Amino acid sequence: MPDVSQQWFDRARAVTPGGVNSPVRAFAAVGGTPRFMASGRGAWLTDVDGASYVDLVCSWGPMLLGHAHPEVLAAVQDAIARGTSYGTPTTTEVELAEEIGARTPVEKVRLVSSGTEATMSAIRLARGFTGRDLVVKFAGCYHGHVDSLLASAGSGLATFGVSTTPGVPESSAAQTIVLPYNDRAAVEAAFAEHGERIACLITEASPGNMGVVPPEPGFNAFLAETCRRHGALFISDEVMTGFRVSRSGQWGTDGAVEGWVPDLMTFGKVMGGGFPAAAFGGRAEVMAMLSPEGPVYQAGTLSGNPVATAAGLATLRLADESVYTRVDQVAAAISEAASEALTQAGVPHRLQSNGNMFSVFFGASVAGSPVRDYATAATQDTGAFKAFFHAMLDAGVYLPPSAFEAWFVSSAHDDRAVSHVLAALPVAATAAAAALEGAS
Ligand SMILES: *Cc1c(COP(=O)(O)O)cnc(C)c1O
């Protein structure tokens, strides 16, 4: 029993809403006691009760090299020994921006502290640059907790959004048009009706926040071209995919091949090396609108923090082709084995992947054909996932505690860690089968 975690969770709930500082950590979707982690090394996490887990969350993506990578730690220790924040320019910020520019098509970068800040600032910049107000986003794409992006689809196509949470003014949600993902006709209809008022379209470069729902071939190119035709900016949110699905993120596998470039891109997660660092960047002409060069205001006391940028720079410099090859291999081994175990146990499911990001949708409603949008993803059987999740947890595998999240692996997932996951799968698949049976 996770007794010590439970004690801490009780204490946490007394001082923090829900006992956590980011909702999904509370295990609300799967039930049970959230594990308080005490340490991480390589592919493994150890909790405060002393139980160890192979980590398939990897801090929701950032830990591409695994936990406590010695060279990243050395870079952090070197930075910390020289002080932790000066509020002045530092050389590491420049090197990190150069590294991002070398891997992606962005011409200028601004560093911030979270993915939310990156998307929020990119949208402000797009509005300032175009002099327009409306934003287009897709249902199921998450871009952080930015007011205007916490909107869901209103009734009918090409209508304005409604806020998904109290506290977001309807006037803010009403600046957002929410469309079904992978739906070209919906995009065309929205731009035909409102094109002259649309400042930007923002999309996850390859969605991973509704489970993994990749763009259909050519969809991102279509979005880029549609924006261009209407004088709107195309913002590709690579906070999750950036420097993870390839050295150049999702753009490395579509835009770089097809020959198009987003106007703005947002990054986070991997580029912070486990610290709060994120960025947005893009065309020099657009970025020149940003203060102090231009009139669009944006700032941050800890932006480009020397410790965070040292961790991010060390991570990116270590993330070479051999890292991506290993992460791809591990993802393929685990995802294929998970699908195989579920098939053996008679659990209808659908495995979806985009490079080394993958997730499994549970239940008959999602098993037959590709899950291409949120409406379909939302029909999955979360009860089966819950049973699967807990069986894996009991066997020492830490999965994302929600059916709507991507599974992440690292280059530190060695053969021992992979074998440990594979050994846990058959029992978990049987638990999922029993949950489906019980429900029907
Ligand atoms: C995680 C994420 C964000 C938000 O980043 P935070 O650092 O959590 O604010 C934005 N966009 C995408 C695609 C993400 O996955």
Side-chain angles (χ1 to χ4, degrees), residues 132 136 187 191 195 198-202 221-235 263:
R132 302 171 177 183
V136 179
V187 174
F191 275 87
I198 296 173
C200 59
L201 178 150
I202 184 167
F222 160 79
L223 297 178
E225 170 56 21
T226 304
C227 287
R228 199 195 54 75
R229 261 192 293 123
H230 291 272
L233 299 191
F234 177 50
I235 306 177
D263 297 296

Side-chain angles (χ1 to χ4, degrees), residues 114-117 119 142-145 204 209 237-240 269:
S114 73
T116 296
E117 225 188 321
T119 59
Y142 177 69
H143 304 289
H145 61 97
E204 282 189 61
N209 283 296
D237 180 355
E238 294 237 23
V239 171
M240 183 181 281
K269 298 194 169 108

